[in-house]
Amino acid sequence: MDTLELLAHPVRLRIVHAMRGGRTLTTSQLCARMPDVSNATMYRHVGLLADGGVLEVEGEQRVRGAVERRYRLRQERAVIDADMVASLSLEDHRRGFAAAMAALLAEFNAYLDRDHADPVADSVGYRQHALWLSQDELAEMISELRSAIVPRMQNGPAPDRAQYLLNPILFPIEEGNV
């Protein structure tokens, strides 16, 4: 299974998000984090990610007679690079977008299902803005967003940090030069 196939599934995408920041988690911990995903489904998808080289075993321990593995994300394998994006068909883009939206919806529902969810206090946002941009303005805006986001992607878990899911989505809604 190639990287696109591995990452173009909502559950596997959520697992990758959960593992970011240098975390090591067991499948049981992932199940606790995503109670909407059955244990069997979680174990199957963790296995696929491990077999595909996206997750690696950090360590093992015996728990009630079974071996429990701690996994770590191999960040370099959890990326769809520019060359791969350029080779995608329109149907591949459709599948990838659908997986991203399904993962986003599942994560948002899991957030709202928490006992103490507070969208205002947590600065939750889901606004949409329609912008008129030339190709140069678009490139400049993308560069500015990357400059703001990429350095923060290196942050790891800390007592004063919560993990946020940021989903910049950008596509034209009209043909140019209308």
Side-chain angles (χ1 to χ4, degrees), residues 54-69:
V54 174
L55 297 180
E56 66 183 355
V57 176
E58 164 82 6
E60 297 179 341
Q61 65 186 28
R62 281 220 167 276
V63 176
R64 290 173 281 211
V67 174
E68 183 176 62
R69 292 180 178 90

Side-chain angles (χ1 to χ4, degrees), residues 123-130 167 169:
S123 299
V124 170
Y126 43 85
R127 292 181 181 93
Q128 294 181 340
H129 307 281
N167 285 271
I169 299 169

Side-chain angles (χ1 to χ4, degrees), residues 15-148:
I15 293 168
V16 169
H17 293 319
M19 300 298 293
R20 293 215 188 265
R23 285 181 155 167
T24 59
L25 298 172
T26 66
T27 306
S28 295
Q29 290 170 316
L30 287 166
C31 288
R33 180 183 164 118
M34 297 176 228
D36 57 306
V37 177
S38 74
N39 289 2
T41 297
M42 183 64 73
Y43 276 88
R44 182 168 39 89
H45 288 295
V46 166
L48 287 169
L49 288 168
D51 290 346
V54 174
L55 297 180
E56 66 183 355
V57 176
E58 164 82 6
E60 297 179 341
Q61 65 186 28
R62 281 220 167 276
V63 176
R64 290 173 281 211
V67 174
E68 183 176 62
R69 292 180 178 90
R70 288 183 316 283
Y71 293 95
R72 175 180 49 216
L73 180 67
R74 291 184 57 204
Q75 180 62 45
E76 74 281 1
R77 296 277 299 143
V79 174
I80 297 175
D81 63 23
D83 290 337
M84 186 179 295
V85 170
S87 73
L88 298 178
S89 69
L90 294 179
E91 194 54 38
D92 291 334
H93 282 284
R94 191 180 318 274
R95 277 191 11 250
F97 187 81
M101 293 302 96
L104 181 61
L105 184 58
E107 289 289 356
F108 192 68
N109 283 330
Y111 163 74
L112 292 176
D113 288 343
R114 292 183 202 152
D115 289 338
H116 46 283
D118 187 344
V120 174
D122 293 333
S123 299
V124 170
Y126 43 85
R127 292 181 181 93
Q128 294 181 340
H129 307 281
L131 309 172
W132 292 92
L133 302 168
S134 68
Q135 285 299 309
D136 289 342
E137 292 166 333
L138 176 61
E140 181 181 21
M141 185 183 73
I142 290 170
S143 177
E144 291 166 352
L145 290 169
R146 282 188 180 135
S147 294

